[in-house]
Amino acid sequence: MRISITVNGDPVVRPVDPSDTLLSVLRGQLHLIGTKWGCLTGDCGACTVIVDGRSVVSCLQTVGQIDGAEITTIEGIAGRGRMMNDLQEAFVTHGAAQCGFCTPGMVVAAEQLLRDGVEPDGAAIREGLAGNLCRCTGYSKIIDAVLSVALARME
Amino acid sequence: MRSDYAVVGKRIPKLDAPDKVTGRTTYADDLKMSGLLAGAIKRSPYPHARILSVDASAAEAVPGVYAVVHAGNVTQRPFGYGHDNIPLKDRVVRCVGDEVAAVAAVDAATAQSALDLISVEYELLPAVDDPFEALQPGAPRIHDELDIEGNVSMEWNFQTGDLAEAERRSAVIVSGSYSSPQAAPAPIETHVVIAGFDADGHLEVISPVHMVFMYRKELADCLGLDWRRVTVRQPPVGGSFGGKIDIDAHDFIAVMLARAAGRPVKLAMSREEEFTGTRTRQPIHFRLRTGAAADGTLQFRHAEVVSDNGAYNAWGSHALLVAMNTVTSMYRVGTSRLAAKVVYTNKNYGGSVRGFGNPQATFAVEQQMEELADALGMDPMDLRLKNANRPGDVTPQGLEITSCGLSECLETVRRKSGWDQRRGRMRSQHRGLGAAAYVHVGGGARIYGSDGCGAMIKIDDSGRVALISGSSELGQGSETALAMIVAETLGVPLEAVSVSHDDTDVKPWDVGVHASRTTFVAGNAARMAAAKARDELLEAAAEVLDRPARSLTIRDGVISVPGEPTATLRYEKAVRRRLLREGSSIIMTSAFYDPPTQRQDENHIGNISASYGFGAHVAEVEVDPDTGMVRVLGLWAAHDVGRAINPMSCEGQIEGGAVMGVGLALSEELPVEDGRFPAPNLHDYGMPTAMDAPPIDVTLIETADELGPFGAKGIGEGGIILPPAAIANAVADAVGVRPRSYPIRPWRLRRWIETGERSHVDKHPHPVPDENAR
């Protein structure tokens, strides 16, 4: 089939096998390699992207089901012409990235959590990010970073 | 202690963080090469079997397949400690996941379908997955080609002092058995290796391994390559935790495939292969006794240990080296004895996972400290402080304790956790506090002929300062710490410094990243090279300013003469004045630092590290006595880091390690059923999520180590060592039963609560004359 989707604001029309995963299309066809994979079973969250305003593990999302969708990957989180948004800057200044392999998925999941209006509260943010594994940081600095942005965006 | 540093001691974001948070960092699987093929490995489904035949003809005929390799069509030599392993198994498979054949094809799907067409005929052999059964007479022999008895791969024995006499001096002796599970480092990035030969036969390997020079040698030795014609490049690493130290069979296989195919090959481990085919943390079983006099003075520690090695010897076979240090040298214990057997079993084998034997040993040693204290009617913190290691101590194994903040660490977590007010007083709410403390190498670890690391510095005409270090960055922040050390030593702004460390053709030799050694050893090498560069800078400036070099200082890139505000020169100008003239030169320096340490002798005596790290944790838990569920409510952590080069990174190491330790304590394990892991995936493995991770209160204790760069000591492993012991002690405080093994999963704790697992205390084991109970 042919799908027509929007990725980071760009129109993308591609012939695909409907059972291809969004992850394989992003990484293999569109060379958007900022999205990582750690398991291909939806357990680690490293491949998280935003599909029509929802966090999705792209390793389990088949493209046949998302024709017409609007997709945001780590490459599109900051918006055009900007290197980083406030959340990415907070990840840097709080020391929330170590090896960085979970980080794109974590940033994307946290951005969607913030857009969904998560309570500016550590427990709520921990719950909201429970689908994204990080092996390096112990999560403390990630939670601090997201919390700081949740508070700042309320102002 | 000096605190007027320009850079050292500041909370500096990691230099690589902007690329990481924007998805720009390219890891091994993100790399492409012209003509790159996809590889796949056929693995044994059986824990122990004889290979009768391998028929690859159908696979070879699949269009798009470039190479099929198996033991029958490659040249390979054994590898591993004692050469007990071979990349493609030739005769026998000894664990599920053992590599039997491999394919390289145009894409992964083709490789996988060809793999399915390889037919391997096996004759099943009896298998053993329990090390105690493997020790029994008549147990299946796992390595019948080796001249060993009872599947014992190696033994570690140490004794000092008169044990019988120490027992006589003891007013209380506690004894017990303590076990740990098979666990996994489980980085989010699986192992990915790319190998390719250039047209001239030079091999390039791209691998996240972090002992790159040993890796290169082992590749060459096994495959019969000229190792001068092997280059190893290390892309950014998506986490290791020790899992990417060892060379694995797949590393050799990638090269074999590339050689056979005549094209570069990528082997990317699936998550299942990461669990079954790369290295794990070995279970270690301790039978431990500790004795103390009536006043709490430790008299002896006696350990009988069985380490469940798995099928082959990787670095994990040496985890006893660290476990032994803990048994003999944690607190002033004096008389100590350890007898350990490293036993082969038909399971995936152990590597050198973060903490390297220390979490397992500390789980035993530190539970007995609290069991002893309770038996003596002493506060466990008082018992620890009474016996704490102090600067100037030399332990029975010859560890020379120099800087040592153990007591301060203990006092800090005691105060911050409200220990004196709360321990032993929350049982009605099923809450408890437990503590633990550690000693761990903090100034390198001499496990090889050299424990050294090289560093080179060049300053170019723009003023860019390039450090080329032998060490590797795994995400832990060493690159940033090294850049800070160079900036501080040279007196230039941090943004002028870059760090390169990814290419064996370019970088100077280093043992590798392990044993919490990078900041200490690579940091000292960088500091030495930077000090030489500083001397050259000042000499260049001396010519311009017409003042003696020794009278000049440099800070923030400005070279000046104290007391003469107008006599200044930017350091870049000094560089250019040297360069842009006849008879020019550039500033380019190098250094190699090998710590002043000893390899331990055949009796395991020797000062293996140039300094030792210490730390203490208190954990607070709440237990649901009906379900056995343990929740960690808080963790207080104080670590003697010598000097925090970058406090934010030190905290990151401690917090991340501590949560890995919470995972070990409560949830992480790879149980074996019928010789295999039934659930090798991240859903079942039990890695903590953000919801499982407790809040962690970190205190950095700075003792300014005499030999460390700016006083720094290693901290990479400290965080993970203590949670299993501290949480077990907290559970004992909360519900009065003593966890004998971890992970403390709900059904186990519920069973212990039902059976009433208690401490085994022998009070007044001998009639003790008062004068001996000092």
Side-chain angles (χ1 to χ4, degrees), chain B residues 1 27 71 175 210 254 274 313 348 359 381 386 421 511 549 569 571 578 586 614 636-637 664 721 739:
Chain B
M1 184 162 51
Y27 301 84
S175 58
H210 46 99
E274 189 71 15
N313 287 335
N348 185 9
M381 286 295 191
K386 184 177 185 69
Q421 297 76 43
V511 181
L569 183 71
Y571 79 100
R578 274 249 156 141
I586 60 163
F614 296 88
W636 292 266
L664 282 180
I721 298 167

Side-chain angles (χ1 to χ4, degrees), chain B residues 328-591:
Chain B
T328 67
S329 304
M330 185 63 217
Y331 306 113
R332 293 168 155 176
V333 64
T335 300
S336 48
R337 183 173 292 190
L338 178 139
K341 290 182 163 70
V342 178
V343 182
Y344 285 124
T345 50
N346 291 112
K347 290 191 293 201
N348 185 9
Y349 50 112
S352 56
V353 186
R354 193 181 203 177
F356 201 40
N358 209 346
Q360 297 97 317
T362 299
F363 181 73
V365 163
E366 277 290 10
Q367 283 205 76
Q368 289 210 332
M369 289 301 285
E370 297 211 352
E371 295 181 76
L372 262 184
D374 289 343
L376 288 162
M378 271 180 92
D379 182 280
M381 286 295 191
D382 289 337
L383 180 69
R384 291 184 172 98
L385 286 163
K386 184 177 185 69
N387 292 285
N389 309 87
R390 296 188 198 287
D393 285 359
V394 178
T395 78
Q397 273 189 271
L399 311 189
E400 294 169 19
I401 308 298
T402 51
S403 62
C404 173
L406 175 59
S407 295
E408 207 177 336
C409 290
L410 288 164
E411 281 157 1
T412 300
V413 293
R414 177 182 207 162
R415 186 181 71 251
K416 286 190 144 188
S417 66
W419 177 271
D420 290 340
Q421 297 76 43
R422 303 201 302 139
R423 195 226 177 216
R425 293 176 197 178
M426 300 187 290
R427 194 167 289 179
S428 61
Q429 306 145 65
H430 312 298
R431 287 192 181 189
L433 291 183
Y438 71 82
V439 59
H440 199 76
V441 292
R446 189 172 294 273
I447 49 139
Y448 196 64
S450 169
D451 193 27
C453 177
M456 304 188 289
I457 282 180
K458 68 182 177 74
I459 310 180
D460 70 19
D461 53 346
S462 73
R464 187 74 174 154
V465 177
L467 168 70
I468 304 153
S469 171
S471 70
S472 305
E473 164 75 37
L474 312 179
Q476 79 278 45
S478 63
E479 186 178 276
T480 305
L482 295 177
M484 291 171 74
I485 287 168
V486 168
E488 187 70 54
T489 307
L490 266 175
V492 302
L494 182 62
E495 46 284 12
V497 182
S498 68
V499 183
S500 307
H501 43 58
D502 54 2
D503 187 331
T504 54
D505 283 359
V506 176
K507 72 178 189 176
W509 194 86
D510 177 42
V511 181
V513 177
H514 76 108
S516 306
R517 70 187 278 281
T518 301
T519 297
F520 191 98
V521 181
N524 267 329
R527 186 185 53 78
M528 288 159 63
K532 289 181 186 174
R534 182 179 187 275
D535 289 346
E536 291 197 23
L537 262 183
L538 295 186
E539 271 168 37
E543 287 174 32
V544 181
L545 295 169
D546 197 23
R547 299 283 189 288
R550 65 173 184 283
S551 72
L552 304 178
T553 63
I554 173 169
R555 191 176 171 110
D556 239 353
V558 179
I559 299 166
S560 60
V561 186
E564 294 185 49
T566 55
T568 65
L569 183 71
R570 295 278 320 164
Y571 79 100
E572 309 92 296
K573 283 198 173 168
V575 175
R576 288 197 286 269
R577 289 293 285 263
R578 274 249 156 141
L579 180 65
L580 304 174
R581 66 178 189 188
E582 290 171 12
S584 65
S585 63
I586 60 163
I587 294 181
M588 193 160 62
T589 62
S590 68

Side-chain angles (χ1 to χ4, degrees), chain B residues 640-655:
Chain B
D640 170 11
V641 298
R643 153 90 66 190
I645 301 290
N646 185 347
M648 192 157 73
S649 283
C650 290
E651 290 164 9
Q653 286 303 293
I654 293 163
E655 290 162 357

